[in-house]
Amino acid sequence: MNEHAKRLELDKILTACASHAVLEAGKGKILALEPVRTVGEAKELLDLTEEASLLLFTLGSGKVEEFPDCEDSLARARKGATLSMAELLGVARLLRAARVLYSSVRSFTDERIVKMRALTEHLMFDRNLEEDIGRKILNENELSDHASEKLFSLRSQIRQLGERIRARLQGYLAGEEKKYLQDGIVTVRGDRFVIPVKAEYKRSVKGFVHDRSQSGATVFIEPEEVLEMNNELRGLILDEREEVERILAELSRAVGRMHDALLHDMAVLAEADSFYARAEYAYSVKGVKPALNASGVIEILKGRHPLLDAKKAVPVTLSVGGEYRFLLISGANTGGKTVTLKMCGLFCLMAACGLFVPAAEGTRLAVFDNVWCDVGDSQSIEENLSTFSSHVAHLKEILEGVTEKSLVLIDEPGGGTDPEEGAALARAVLTDLLRRGCRGIVTTHYSSLKEFAYAEEGIENGCMEFDAADFRPLYRLKIGAPGSSNALLICTRLGLPAQTIEEARGYLSEGARSFEHTLRAAEESRVQTEAAMQAAREKQREWEQRLSELGKEEEKFRRERERFLAASKAEARRIVAERTADAEELLAEMEKIFEKQNYSEADLIRARTLKNKLENAPTEEEPVRAVPVDAATLKAGDRVMVGSLGTEGAVLSVRREKGMCDVQAGALRVTVKISDLYRAAPQKQGQGEKVQVTRELVQRPVVKREVNLIGMTTGEGVAEAEAFLDSAVLANLHEVRIVHGVGTGKLRAAVQEMLRRHPRVESFRLGKYGEGENGVTVVTLK
């Protein structure tokens, strides 16, 4: 990393990002990052970071699993060496990490996961070897008894023989020899069972001395009667060690055969870990993916320097590189000029390293061949450089290396020397940089540079706003006008004696006082004007919102009216059809009577009865009253009226415990609340009365734009969400919110799976910052 990137504190950003990595190799990759110099490379890095973020925070994938550095172990295994149990367990963890990453990336069918799938495509792993190591090795120092049949047999024999030897030696602990013993225990020295005997009685116990205590008071004797048994035990132990070495050697050979594949896996896992760390860092600073360009255009929306406290930092919006190539920032001391300058350069470097930036959506950044920087006081006693000398050295380096594809950031050029000469030098440097066609930001207090920015093409004034009433900076950048330094006002705020400040004002030249006064007056006037314009814009937005809401209500009323009329016409047509069918049936019966040649008296009575029925049939529709259904008696097959839909349908199924039921209304199958259903109940009217069709429905409920499923089971949540979507479709809502919370992610996954199948859902997404993020799904309806 060059010195210019360090001056912008890129190293601190990379250190903060590396803290989110799991692997030491992943941390190393991040700390060794160098900003790329082409848009294509930067976009590739940002795309990978975006996919890692999608896997982690949207799809619920896990990070890379931790494993130790196995490079030396793999190299030794390749040469035929036998690895230790700890080394083999480390290889098993490497194999597992490769398998888990490969499977997790491919377990999602999301079409947005492209580059992470390509990155992990060639991961190699052997699950059989991974499980073999895990099954045979219990920990770093112990092999399982079941690692092989021979090892199990040997260890069984060792345990049995050990028990026999102990039983034999128990006779010494309980017999006459007990008085010769130092302790009443059987111990082991050099894989041989012995008893502790007092030194003065060592000749009283027949056997072989194997060891002596440090004090010399105790000798450890192997009695003659267990000599052969100990020899046999020693042989079994040697056989066991040989078998353990054989098993470890066999596993090591299998690891050695995968040497190249596992080295490749380690590199891929470290790379993936670095992008997961970038994604977590982006989440921690509320970063967004910037749009990149190669034309030098920078447009930062509500950017915050990532090293500042996000709760206290004031977001800054700035643009440079488009209509003007250089931005000259002036304004009060401690007003945020240097922080803004460093933030701009740092954002470009972060994007070139594949890092998201803490700003608003829509931020655009350029990729430069180099970012040149002269910030802060770099005087050096060792190199005999004053403040001015160090600035000149940096300016020399910049002017020698800058190209039209470079970004130049200079904090107060010409400082540390005579103000007039310093201003002249600063103007000359700016003129040279403008001729070279590069982009950049310069901060200054020089009035002559502010005037220069007014007159020169390609450079624009900007100022950090200042509240003259409270003597405090506002940390907001205003482009288009220079700012006053307000040095004396800030001295007042910092507590300098008023007499000293007034005396200082007296020493100012008339031109300086006039210029500063004009700038302050212009700034105060601009602030007041912007406040008035902001208030006017808020009023305008308020009225526009009200008009929009009225328009929506009008449109909603129109749709309701059309739906009601359509339902009424359908009901009228049904009643007319029924009456027509009844009349045709009466006429058919009368025709049958008239077809007879001889009429009986019964036929005449029957014909007269049919004639009276036909004459007394109502010519208008009978009144229809819609009454709520009885939830207790409602069953599948009942004909009901859906209040929110305004049409009739048949009940398909009833779920009384949830107060819901499924209704087939024409071609539409809907899930509605039982309280929204009505049963048509025709009422008799007296003959000759005028008949009128009326409907008495309860007031139509207002459909909410959000449903809360938190606390529900998966089945209850999905059912409630389906009913909510049906109501939203009937209410012609375009966008609704389903609140499911974060939790384990099961409810969210079930709801989103239902949304994928729902015929009325056009699209859905998780909430953004301020919308509930992963705890909310925003649904767009057709």
Side-chain angles (χ1 to χ4, degrees), residues 555-568:
E555 177 64 18
K556 179 180 177 182
F557 177 77
R558 184 187 63 78
R559 288 196 298 266
E560 291 291 335
R561 179 175 175 275
E562 291 177 354
R563 185 177 297 146
F564 180 79
L565 290 175
S568 299

Side-chain angles (χ1 to χ4, degrees), residues 552-553 556 559 563 700 702-707 724-737 760-762 779-782:
K552 291 177 181 178
E553 288 296 324
K556 179 180 177 182
R559 288 196 298 266
R563 185 177 297 146
R700 184 171 178 180
V702 177
V703 179
K704 297 182 179 179
R705 296 177 177 271
E706 178 181 292
V707 64
F724 170 68
L725 289 180
D726 290 337
S727 300
V729 168
L730 297 176
N732 289 316
L733 298 182
H734 178 65
E735 187 176 272
V736 294
R737 289 159 41 95
R760 297 288 180 173
V761 173
E762 181 175 327
V779 184
T780 302
L781 300 172
K782 295 180 180 178

Side-chain angles (χ1 to χ4, degrees), residues 602-745:
D603 290 333
L604 293 176
I605 294 173
R606 175 62 177 163
R608 190 176 298 109
T609 301
L610 292 174
K611 175 177 177 294
N612 292 335
K613 282 187 179 181
L614 186 61
E615 289 177 349
N616 295 331
T619 58
E620 298 184 35
E621 300 173 3
E622 296 179 356
V624 177
R625 298 182 181 273
V627 295
V629 299
D630 184 359
T633 60
L634 186 65
K635 61 183 184 300
D638 285 354
R639 299 292 297 179
V640 293
M641 177 72 72
V642 183
S644 57
L645 184 60
T647 188
E648 194 173 326
V651 175
L652 299 176
S653 63
V654 182
R655 289 170 281 174
R656 290 187 179 85
E657 67 279 2
K658 296 181 180 179
M660 309 292 290
C661 74
D662 296 324
V663 177
Q664 186 74 40
L668 182 64
R669 174 173 178 162
V670 294
T671 300
V672 296
K673 295 181 178 179
I674 296 177
S675 59
D676 191 33
L677 298 181
Y678 305 87
R679 178 173 286 118
Q683 297 181 349
K684 298 290 184 179
Q685 299 291 333
Q687 292 185 358
E689 289 183 0
K690 289 292 184 180
V691 181
Q692 184 177 359
V693 177
T694 61
R695 300 174 66 201
E696 294 179 356
L697 299 178
V698 295
Q699 184 178 359
R700 184 171 178 180
V702 177
V703 179
K704 297 182 179 179
R705 296 177 177 271
E706 178 181 292
V707 64
N708 191 333
L709 310 181
I710 295 176
M712 299 184 183
T713 64
T714 301
E716 293 172 348
V718 171
E720 184 67 18
E722 287 181 335
F724 170 68
L725 289 180
D726 290 337
S727 300
V729 168
L730 297 176
N732 289 316
L733 298 182
H734 178 65
E735 187 176 272
V736 294
R737 289 159 41 95
I738 299 177
V739 181
H740 43 64
V742 179
T744 62

